[in-house]
């Protein structure tokens, strides 16, 4: 009986310690995530008649974005966002997987590439892109400032590729290194080498990690700034994305709360589009992707 009471007392003390330990992060989560986002949701239905007074209007902040002028404006930003996603899907992601496989196979200078590809994740991307900008300015390749829209997009895309490999390559390489040597040896004995080894053995093993990056890229489609702020500050035009537009407009609302409801409505509409697309992609990626078996 005494032993039972001792155990209960120990459990009670552990519970009290756990509650105290979790109280601060829980309160922080409730205040700065749930409450803040709930307030953002409510803002979408406020229409300010003056700078200090508002009325509840369930549709105005949403319908205003469908005016011909706003549709044309947002359409251009959306095109750049889709181009950025296509760049990531077709160029950045395959290159990241390829570099990880190169490192995994311990090819010449694999260690050097591992370090250099991870540097942009250690050093601020803003610093790396500033060096990138100054390098091309010094080489008198002024596409970033004086080029056409296509030329500016090319330069911005190249800069984003430069800083996009660190985390993904590291995770892919670590996942590949966890593959049992027996599996690789068995595949080699069966005649798999090079590209076949990658397709039939390595890629199915890293597919869960690959699918996570793919799904998160869908989720961030309309918030990706394409690092435009690092290139152009507040003056990106030809290369501006949907996410960059939201960021800049939000910055302009500083101390002007009456401008926030329209942006809140636009954010809710973007969320309403992104969430179902993300879950649809997740379903297909999970159901039809290669299996480790």
């Amino acid at each position: 009986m005494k032993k039972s009471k001792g155990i209960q007392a120990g459990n009670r003390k552990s519970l009290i310690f756990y509650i105290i330990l979790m109280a601060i992060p829980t309160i922080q989560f409730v205040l700065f995530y749930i409450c803040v986002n709930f307030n953002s949701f409510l803002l979408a239905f406020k229409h300010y008649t003056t700078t200090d007074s508002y009325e509840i209007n369930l549709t105005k902040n949403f319908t205003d974005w469908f005016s011909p002028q706003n549709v044309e404006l947002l359409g251009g930003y959306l095109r750049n966002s889709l181009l950025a996603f296509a760049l990531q899907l077709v160029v950045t992601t395959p290159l990241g997987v390829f570099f990880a496989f190169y490192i995994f196979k311990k090819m010449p200078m694999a260690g050097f590439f591992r370090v250099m590809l991870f540097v942009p994740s250690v050093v601020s991307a803003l610093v790396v892109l500033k060096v990138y900008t100054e390098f091309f300015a010094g080489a008198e390749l002024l596409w970033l400032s004086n080029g056409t829209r296509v030329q500016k997009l090319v330069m911005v895309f190249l800069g984003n590729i430069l800083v996009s490999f660190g985390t993904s390559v590291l995770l892919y390489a670590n996942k590949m290194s966890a593959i049992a040597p027996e599996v690789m040896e068995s595949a080699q004995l069966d005649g798999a080498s090079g590209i076949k080894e990658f397709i039939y053995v390595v890629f199915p093993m890293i597919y869960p990690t690959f699918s996570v990056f793919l799904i998160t890229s869908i989720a961030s489609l309309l918030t990706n700034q394409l690092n435009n702020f690092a290139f152009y500050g507040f003056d990106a035009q030809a290369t501006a994305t949907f996410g960059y537009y939201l960021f800049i407009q939000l910055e302009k609302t500083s101390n002007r709360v009456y401008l926030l409801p329209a942006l809140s409505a636009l954010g809710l509409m973007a969320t309403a589009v992104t969430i179902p697309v993300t879950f649809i992609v997740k379903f297909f990626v999970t159901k039809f992707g290669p299996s480790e078996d």
Side-chain angles (χ1 to χ4, degrees):
M1 189 70 177
K2 291 181 180 179
K3 184 177 180 180
S4 176
K5 288 182 179 179
I7 293 174
Q8 290 178 357
N11 289 339
R12 191 179 300 112
K13 290 179 180 178
S14 297
L15 178 61
I16 293 172
F17 174 76
Y18 176 78
I19 291 173
I20 294 173
L21 186 67
M22 294 302 297
I24 294 177
T26 302
I27 292 171
Q28 183 183 33
F29 173 77
V30 171
L31 291 178
F32 296 104
Y33 187 83
I34 295 178
C35 294
V36 169
N37 281 284
F38 184 70
N39 183 55
S40 299
F41 179 83
L42 293 180
L43 272 173
F45 306 102
K46 294 180 180 180
H47 171 60
Y48 278 83
T49 53
T50 67
T51 57
D52 298 317
S53 61
Y54 66 86
E55 60 184 16
I56 300 299
N57 191 312
L58 299 180
T59 59
K60 180 171 176 55
N61 291 323
F62 296 91
T63 56
D64 284 350
W65 288 109
F66 290 95
S67 67
Q69 181 180 359
N70 283 330
V71 168
E72 182 179 359
L73 177 71
L74 295 178
Y77 298 142
L78 184 59
R79 283 193 295 272
N80 285 345
S81 293
L82 292 174
L83 282 173
F85 173 73
L87 170 79
Q88 182 174 1
L89 186 64
V90 177
V91 179
T92 306
T93 299
L95 281 177
V97 175
F98 169 76
F99 289 145
F101 186 65
Y102 186 92
I103 294 169
F104 166 68
K105 296 297 291 182
K106 296 181 174 59
M107 302 295 282
M109 299 183 69
F112 171 78
F113 283 118
R114 188 185 189 105
V115 172
M116 293 306 296
L117 290 171
F118 195 67
V119 164
S121 296
V122 178
V123 182
S124 171
L126 187 65
V127 174
V128 176
L129 292 175
K130 181 63 176 177
V131 174
Y132 168 84
T133 303
E134 292 299 324
F135 171 80
F136 281 104
E140 298 186 356
L141 185 56
L142 303 178
W143 284 4
L144 276 168
S145 56
N146 301 325
T148 64
R149 176 178 177 273
V150 174
Q151 290 172 335
K152 289 181 179 180
L153 280 172
V154 168
M155 296 302 292
V156 169
F157 285 163
L158 288 175
N160 277 271
I161 291 174
L162 181 66
V163 298
S164 62
F165 293 122
T167 303
S168 62
V169 171
L170 185 66
L171 290 176
Y172 286 139
N174 288 343
K175 185 69 174 177
M176 291 176 187
S177 65
I179 300 174
E182 295 81 7
V183 175
M184 300 301 298
E185 290 172 2
S186 176
Q188 290 169 1
L189 289 173
D190 290 336
S193 61
I195 189 65
K196 288 185 178 180
E197 185 180 23
F198 173 78
I199 294 174
Y200 295 112
V201 179
V202 175
F203 186 70
M205 292 291 189
I206 68 167
Y207 184 74
T209 305
F210 175 84
S211 63
V212 168
F213 279 110
L214 179 59
I215 293 168
T216 53
S217 68
I218 295 287
S220 62
L221 171 62
L222 296 181
T223 57
N224 183 8
Q225 296 184 35
L226 205 58
N227 286 305
N228 268 295
F229 190 76
F231 289 111
Y232 297 108
F234 294 96
D235 196 33
Q237 297 180 7
T239 62
T241 62
F242 193 91
Y244 173 82
Y245 175 76
L246 282 174
F247 172 79
I248 294 301
Q249 292 304 310
L250 185 62
E251 179 65 24
K252 291 179 179 179
T253 63
S254 178
N255 299 322
R256 292 184 290 180
V257 68
Y258 57 90
L259 297 176
L260 289 174
L263 291 178
S264 180
L266 182 60
L268 286 181
M269 288 190 289
T271 302
V273 172
T274 304
I275 288 177
V277 173
T278 301
F279 278 99
I280 290 171
V281 171
K282 181 180 181 296
F283 170 78
F284 283 103
V285 165
T286 305
K287 187 174 181 62
F288 299 106
S291 172
E292 295 183 11
D293 300 329

